[in-house]
Amino acid sequence: MPYLVSSDFPQKPAGERFRALVERGGIARLPGTHNGMAALQARAAGFEGLYLSGAAMTASMGIPDLGIITVDEVAFFIRQIARASGLPLLVDGDTGYGEALNVMHMVRTFEDAGAGAVHIEDQLLPKKCGHLNDKKLAAANDMATKVAAAAKARRHLYIIARTDAAASEGIDGAVARAKLYMEAGADAIFPEALTTADMFREFAAHMPGVPLLANMTEFGRTPFFTADEFEAMGYRMVIWPVSSLRVANKAQEKLYATLKRDGSAKAMVPEMQTRAELYDTIGLAAYEALDASIIATVVPEPA
């Protein structure tokens, strides 16, 4: 129960825990979690770190991923995921919500909300999903300024610089940007929307010793690779950003179609999380026992 009981809460800052996850060896597997329930289910499955996707977050709000939402709206999602799971969370920081001072405000807000890491991308607004066409790139020096601002603002937050340059500037252009971003203070690099195993390997070969993040999104430009395959290509982190939302949305779509057709959800019951499973996942019994134990310590027995 990491949210309410201080002795159960992680003692080290989330950024330090995220860094340790990346540096311990192997590949950090970071499934997308679009809300607190998804975070609890990912933790129960055995994951040790999580990811909050801007695309999943905005889609769950019913709007597209075009840089519309605010820092405070993202912080709401960070808080619920960090509180529910107690795990180090990587957060999609889009373009940093403005220029240098805005980026610094984002870092402070995300750290205070419980984030362990953030990635910032080198696009211009209105930004787009990295696997779409017609992305507009920021000047490399302007992006480096944002990275430097983030590094100056953070206490412990792990900073990942994302570059979307491979599609328009090739691997050489993406590598040149990545090296500049590392010099500016990034801890790791996220090359977005690479399309072949050779591209992943070539990028990694040009960035020896640099922690790299791979994005394994469905329906995008990157073919399917496993976490082990990404590790063999030289990557230290992998995200599955929107998978949880896509599965949940498909199930909800089926539910509403069934309700409309039948006027009842009975046909969907075999596909539902039961009441007992729900209460077990959110730890209802533990919360009730905690409440009873606190009351017992302060309410005297009747004479």
Side-chain angles (χ1 to χ4, degrees), residues 32 38 48-49 67 81 93 104 150 153 192 195 197 208 214 232 238 244 250 270-271 277 290 293:
E48 299 177 87
I81 293 169
M104 296 176 82
E192 175 64 307
T195 58
V238 57
S244 66
K250 199 69 174 179
E271 299 182 45
E277 289 168 339
L290 173 64
S293 71

Side-chain angles (χ1 to χ4, degrees), residues 82-268:
R83 287 172 178 175
S85 70
L87 297 179
L89 175 68
L90 166 61
V91 180
D92 183 350
D94 284 348
T95 62
Y97 301 92
E99 300 306 319
L101 296 182
N102 306 97
V103 171
M104 296 176 82
H105 172 62
M106 176 197 72
V107 167
R108 301 284 350 104
T109 302
F110 283 11
E111 274 195 343
D112 289 345
V118 65
H119 68 70
I120 310 169
E121 64 204 48
D122 55 4
Q123 286 194 53
L124 295 173
L125 292 174
K127 56 87 62 191
K128 290 187 176 184
C129 167
H131 291 253
L132 297 180
N133 295 323
D134 301 323
K135 295 178 291 184
K136 298 176 182 178
L137 293 181
N141 285 335
D142 289 345
M143 173 63 176
T145 298
K146 293 185 179 184
V147 173
K152 189 174 184 64
R154 57 103 174 262
R155 290 169 295 178
H156 53 75
L157 200 70
Y158 192 89
I159 298 169
I160 302 173
R162 169 178 143 179
T163 179
D164 287 63
S168 57
E169 298 179 0
I171 288 292
D172 289 343
V175 166
R177 283 173 172 266
K179 290 181 176 179
L180 182 62
Y181 304 160
M182 289 298 296
E183 292 171 3
D187 295 300
I189 296 294
F190 171 7
E192 175 64 307
L194 304 186
T195 58
T196 66
D198 286 343
M199 288 182 73
F200 278 100
R201 283 191 285 263
E202 183 181 358
F203 189 91
H206 285 293
M207 303 294 296
V210 175
L212 301 177
L213 181 148
N215 178 9
M216 190 57 264
T217 190
E218 305 85 15
F219 314 109
R221 296 184 174 186
T222 301
F224 278 100
F225 298 109
T226 67
D228 289 342
E229 287 171 331
F230 279 123
E231 182 181 358
M233 290 184 233
Y235 289 73
R236 300 274 290 280
M237 295 163 275
V238 57
I239 56 174
W240 296 271
V242 193
S243 308
S244 66
L245 181 77
R246 288 184 173 126
V247 170
N249 281 356
K250 199 69 174 179
Q252 287 176 171
E253 182 181 55
K254 186 175 180 181
L255 167 66
Y256 295 133
T258 300
L259 283 171
K260 178 65 175 174
R261 183 191 68 227
D262 300 345
S264 168
K266 184 177 180 180
M268 291 291 295

